[in-house]
Amino acid sequence: MLTAAPLYRLRLAETIAAGDTTPMMVFPIGEWHSARYPDLPLTEDLAHQLIANFEACILGTEPVVDSSGKHDTAAPAAGWVKKVYLASYEEGAVTGLALWADVQWTSLGANLLSDNQYKYGSVEIGPVTMNESGDEVPFVLRSLTLTNTPVLRIMPGVKDAKAKQGVVQTLSEIVL
């Protein structure tokens, strides 16, 4: 006899609600290539710099996940990055290390993802000029955006990310 309970649980896993915090892959560690970026070195060292700059609040605000699909930080927020860290990922027979962000979703972001209007994420990394000193800090996680055309086609869908995420590593575990 088929019951409704397993189907109900499956449906719940397919939705994200406003206020939920879920992992989103920022980028997998590796040397990648694309039409837009012929050489795209997304290294573990870069990930460590992004984590350190995030934890030091170099950006001065929480990085936004914008709803434009174009890294338009003037667009309404789909979510806010709460944490950045390294964790493994599994995609079929491939296992690797990736930079991840825990994102708290707004009602707009939850609706865009739950209604399948967007599936993937994209990252914007760049320099930030410090307001007090005028010094430039390179390699800051400036924003994420929802997109349907990620530069790296190996990126998991945002709603699928938790299932693809493996062991979480903290900065202190890596430094030791």
Side-chain angles (χ1 to χ4, degrees):
M1 176 180 198
L2 182 62
T3 65
L7 297 175
Y8 183 67
R9 281 195 301 271
L10 177 63
R11 180 65 187 143
L12 286 178
E14 293 176 354
T15 63
I16 293 176
D20 284 354
T21 300
T22 66
M24 181 175 174
M25 186 186 284
V26 177
F27 61 75
I29 303 298
E31 297 284 331
W32 308 103
H33 310 281
S34 73
R36 186 171 179 185
Y37 304 102
D39 295 306
L40 188 58
L42 300 172
T43 65
E44 197 169 338
D45 286 341
L46 173 61
H48 287 298
Q49 287 180 309
L50 294 170
I51 292 168
N53 288 338
F54 177 84
E55 290 178 352
C57 300
I58 296 298
L59 187 61
T61 61
E62 290 178 332
V64 66
V65 179
D66 78 64
S67 60
S68 73
K70 302 175 188 171
H71 293 290
D72 177 2
T73 55
W80 298 98
V81 176
K82 299 296 183 178
K83 182 179 176 183
V84 182
Y85 54 96
L86 285 168
S88 63
Y89 71 93
E90 299 173 9
E91 183 62 47
V94 177
T95 301
L97 189 61
L99 184 65
W100 295 82
D102 282 350
V103 175
Q104 185 176 44
W105 299 102
T106 65
S107 58
L108 174 61
N111 288 334
L112 290 171
L113 290 166
S114 295
D115 291 345
N116 295 315
Q117 294 178 54
Y118 284 107
K119 185 170 182 175
Y120 303 100
S122 178
V123 63
E124 180 185 22
I125 299 167
V128 169
T129 300
M130 302 304 293
N131 294 138
E132 299 83 18
S133 65
D135 293 339
E136 188 174 275
V137 178
F139 308 118
V140 176
L141 172 63
R142 296 190 337 184
S143 70
L144 299 172
T145 192
L146 296 176
T147 186
N148 290 319
T149 55
V151 169
L152 297 177
R153 291 180 304 279
I154 62 169
M155 299 284 284
V158 175
K159 291 192 311 187
D160 302 328
K162 184 64 177 166
K164 304 293 182 178
Q165 190 179 63
V167 179
V168 174
Q169 299 176 336
T170 64
L171 186 57
S172 61
E173 290 171 326
I174 295 168
V175 173
L176 296 176

